[in-house]
Amino acid sequence: MCIDQTASSSSAGVNSTTSVSSTVTREQHASKEEQPEQSEESLYSVLMTSHKENEAWKEAAAMEDRNFRPTRAEGSRRKAPFYKVLQGMPIAVDAFRYGTIPGVTAYFLTHAHSDHYTNLASNWKSGPIYCSEDTANLVLHMLAVDPKWVHPLPMDVPTTIPDTGGVVVTLIEANHCPGSCLFFFEGQQTVHAGDSSFKSTFVGSSKTFRYLHCGDFRASPRHVLHPAVKGKYIDHVYLDTTYLDPKYTFPPQPLVISACAELARRIVAGEAIGPADCNGKRMLTMDAWVTAQSRPEVKKEEQPSQRILVVIGTYSIGKERIVKAVAQALKTKIYCDARKAAILRCQTDPELHSLLTSDPIEGGVHLLPLGMITSDKIKPYVERFKGTYSRAVAFRPTGWTYTPPSGSEQSPPIASIISRGQACSFSHADLKPMQKSSYTIQMFGVPYSEHSSFFELTCFAMSCDWGKMIATVNVGSENSRAKMAKWVARWEAEKKRNKDSVVKYREIDYW
Ligand SMILES: [Zn+2]
């Protein structure tokens, strides 16, 4: 568990925690000519690093104002803040709520979550939409966008986008929801597109720019080791800053997934699930549980009233990995309603498709909306299957379930953040029953996130070569922007001391 190891953290030095990986060397970096020279700092760069940066953000905040009502004179559309349009390129990312953005000829969508496709609907006609194949399937299915606008792109293959002045894009798996990707753009600045009053002086120059748009992502070593990214200087990183605050500490996703699968397997098999917690509750609970369990391979005819139903709360898209792992561990199928099943079938995942069933009795794992994972809602749900399931185990995966103890460090050194994160483990024994759990309805909160933890954002930032980090989440308030800017500045300073390193990782899938 990675909750707090303040006592052990302070001794770790920078060099021991951000050890240099042999995979990234200075030679692999972009040629010197392509890197920004101090002397040719663009007006844009200057403004982004001075008081004008705040003005650009203020302009953006005004554009995003909740109470803003566009007038007819303004073209009846909300203006796009600067961070929605790539500097000097006719490309907008996750910017559908702004309608037809001046100068933009290519609209990119990172993934099919509603806050990223706001306003995208069947009446879309502002220009071509580029996204992954799974995201294309989802927007066609859910939003009925005219297929003539939707252009799925292959993953990992650099692809030139028409009408953009030769910009090449590579899609990289984001480790967020199905279909989600990072966009790595490479090209020259050819146009002043967008609504921002701040203009780049590099438009028309021969300099190559690289932008990495992270959409929503859970950062892993795979991202920084991807051939499109590895060893390249990235001018701008558009960062998913959902959890850019050291209080957001949660365990690596693969460990949480296997913990859920193992806990479900043990409960259904009637095995002990772990040591008692400090007040001994777990053992008491388990003593009761271990009686009269049915094993998954036991035919339901033999013990019809003893089967345990496993329920997992999900959103419309996301958390599928946890669902698959639990179903596979229990050697059972997944049941959900037809609407959810249709969404799952948009994903090109034959393994997932083969696990789906429309029979709630055949499926030992049921998917319900996250809001259904409360004792008073699950009870009547399980009662619908009386005679088949006698009780239920429910998982409630939510982004962040940990509250730091008061007095814990607000601003730990980068080295401590990294060493603590690397020491973080998680097993089935760390999953604790939620309040209001009972013998018949046992609920577990799961610290499962499809966004990067603060530790992972730090590792990511320390492991690639970037000029500017542009926050894309929690940018509405000056206070929140200032807090995030402080961390970006600290990453930058730390990187200057530790050039060209990839933070040492435990597995390719997590730091
Ligand atoms: Zn998302």
Side-chain angles (χ1 to χ4, degrees):
M1 209 37 208
C2 50
I3 298 314
D4 201 30
Q5 291 144 17
T6 314
S8 63
S9 63
S10 54
S11 60
V14 171
N15 291 335
S16 66
T17 56
T18 56
S19 61
V20 178
S21 158
S22 60
T23 51
V24 177
T25 64
R26 194 74 208 169
E27 288 70 47
Q28 289 169 302
H29 279 233
S31 64
K32 188 73 185 146
E33 308 80 73
E34 287 175 0
Q35 293 205 29
E37 298 290 337
Q38 280 304 89
S39 58
E40 56 170 22
E41 280 254 277
S42 67
L43 175 66
Y44 189 85
S45 291
V46 171
L47 80 88
M48 295 310 291
T49 51
S50 68
H51 74 282
K52 286 193 177 173
E53 169 162 355
N54 215 21
E55 286 182 16
W57 280 111
K58 273 186 187 153
E59 183 191 74
M63 289 170 176
E64 292 289 67
D65 190 335
R66 212 177 278 257
N67 300 315
F68 177 81
R69 295 284 175 275
T71 62
R72 201 170 282 275
E74 288 166 315
S76 298
R77 58 175 281 276
R78 182 183 278 275
K79 288 187 173 178
F82 76 93
Y83 57 85
K84 291 286 182 182
V85 178
L86 301 182
Q87 186 194 335
M89 295 179 186
I91 292 173
V93 182
D94 294 350
F96 300 93
R97 69 185 305 215
Y98 313 99
T100 306
I101 303 173
V104 169
T105 53
Y107 293 81
F108 280 74
L109 175 60
T110 58
H111 65 291
H113 276 160
S114 59
D115 49 332
H116 293 257
Y117 64 63
T118 311
N119 280 6
L120 182 55
S122 57
N123 62 356
W124 174 263
K125 50 183 189 314
S126 296
I129 301 165
Y130 299 95
C131 57
S132 70
E133 194 182 335
D134 282 10
T135 300
N137 291 340
L138 286 162
V139 296
L140 293 171
H141 171 75
M142 298 190 303
L143 309 175
V145 176
D146 187 333
K148 77 173 183 185
W149 299 115
V150 182
H151 301 271
L153 297 175
M155 299 300 291
D156 307 312
V157 181
T159 308
T160 304
I161 304 303
D163 303 320
T164 60
V167 174
V168 174
V169 69
T170 307
L171 277 60
I172 301 169
E173 159 66 40
N175 197 21
H176 181 63
C177 68
S180 61
C181 60
L182 276 55
F183 294 123
F184 184 82
F185 297 99
E186 200 163 9
Q188 291 170 352
Q189 296 195 6
T190 56
V191 65
H192 293 291
D195 296 306
S196 174
S197 54
F198 300 97
K199 307 293 182 199
S200 167
T201 54
F202 282 103
V203 170
S205 80
S206 61
K207 187 174 141 53
T208 296
F209 282 81
R210 300 193 189 88
Y211 306 135
L212 180 63
H213 199 295
C214 298
D216 283 350
F217 81 137
R218 181 130 191 198
S220 88
R222 280 190 197 280
H223 293 129
V224 296
L225 297 171
H226 191 282
V229 173
K230 195 172 88 175
K232 302 240 182 86
Y233 176 82
I234 308 162
D235 295 270
H236 296 172
V237 175
Y238 296 80
L239 192 66
D240 167 14
T241 44
T242 305
Y243 292 131
L244 181 46
D245 183 317
K247 72 180 178 185
Y248 295 120
T249 305
F250 41 79
Q253 193 183 49
L255 300 183
V256 176
I257 293 173
S258 14
C260 291
E262 179 62 10
L263 183 71
R265 190 196 66 74
R266 285 181 183 230
I267 291 173
V268 170
E271 293 173 17
I273 57 173
D277 60 20
C278 46
N279 54 21
K281 263 190 182 157
R282 178 182 287 277
M283 286 317 280
L284 289 175
T285 315
M286 277 325 294
D287 288 343
W289 280 32
V290 171
T291 58
Q293 305 277 346
S294 71
R295 286 168 190 277
E297 63 268 26
V298 173
K299 287 195 181 102
K300 59 176 182 276
E301 295 78 31
E302 293 169 22
Q303 275 190 314
S305 62
Q306 292 300 331
R307 278 182 76 193
I308 298 175
L309 175 64
V310 175
V311 179
I312 303 177
T314 67
Y315 300 116
S316 61
I317 309 164
K319 328 265 176 186
E320 288 76 2
R321 276 173 284 188
I322 217 165
V323 171
K324 266 168 75 175
V326 170
Q328 283 164 341
L330 298 180
K331 299 187 174 68
T332 187
K333 296 219 166 193
I334 301 162
Y335 167 77
C336 57
D337 65 28
R339 190 189 143 272
K340 173 81 179 173
I343 287 174
L344 292 174
R345 289 210 172 84
C346 286
Q347 303 169 30
T348 43
D349 185 345
E351 203 179 25
L352 175 63
H353 296 176
S354 71
L355 287 168
L356 294 178
T357 175
S358 55
D359 176 5
I361 307 301
E362 188 191 13
V365 173
H366 287 201
L367 305 190
L368 290 180
L370 205 62
M372 285 281 290
I373 311 296
T374 62
S375 57
D376 36 324
K377 285 180 181 157
I378 295 181
K379 213 174 204 172
Y381 182 81
V382 178
E383 272 164 16
R384 281 164 53 184
F385 305 104
K386 228 179 189 168
T388 302
Y389 300 113
S390 55
R391 45 207 191 88
V393 173
F395 290 106
R396 188 185 162 86
T398 52
W400 182 59
T401 55
Y402 166 64
T403 310
S406 57
S408 62
E409 230 175 335
Q410 297 291 304
S411 194
I414 302 278
S416 305
I417 294 161
I418 291 173
S419 61
R420 276 180 227 179
Q422 286 166 330
C424 172
S425 65
F426 196 84
S427 80
H428 69 279
D430 292 309
L431 289 162
K432 300 289 188 309
M434 289 163 66
Q435 279 190 341
K436 292 197 177 169
S437 283
S438 64
Y439 173 70
T440 44
I441 309 290
Q442 195 78 7
M443 298 178 297
F444 294 90
V446 180
Y448 180 86
S449 175
E450 292 183 334
H451 294 276
S452 314
S453 67
F454 178 72
F455 158 66
E456 288 159 346
L457 288 175
T458 301
C459 291
F460 173 80
M462 297 302 292
S463 302
C464 53
D465 194 7
W466 46 272
K468 201 168 291 296
M469 285 279 177
I470 299 173
T472 60
V473 184
N474 300 327
V475 293
S477 95
E478 207 171 324
N479 184 35
S480 152
R481 290 197 302 270
K483 274 190 186 166
M484 295 192 291
K486 186 196 78 177
W487 283 108
V488 172
R490 286 186 56 186
W491 292 339
E492 209 168 2
E494 190 73 18
K495 266 201 81 64
K496 280 189 182 135
R497 285 201 287 274
N498 286 278
K499 280 195 171 153
D500 306 333
S501 63
V502 167
V503 174
K504 195 176 172 187
Y505 49 88
R506 288 178 278 178
E507 300 286 339
I508 189 84
D509 289 319
Y510 62 96
W511 268 292

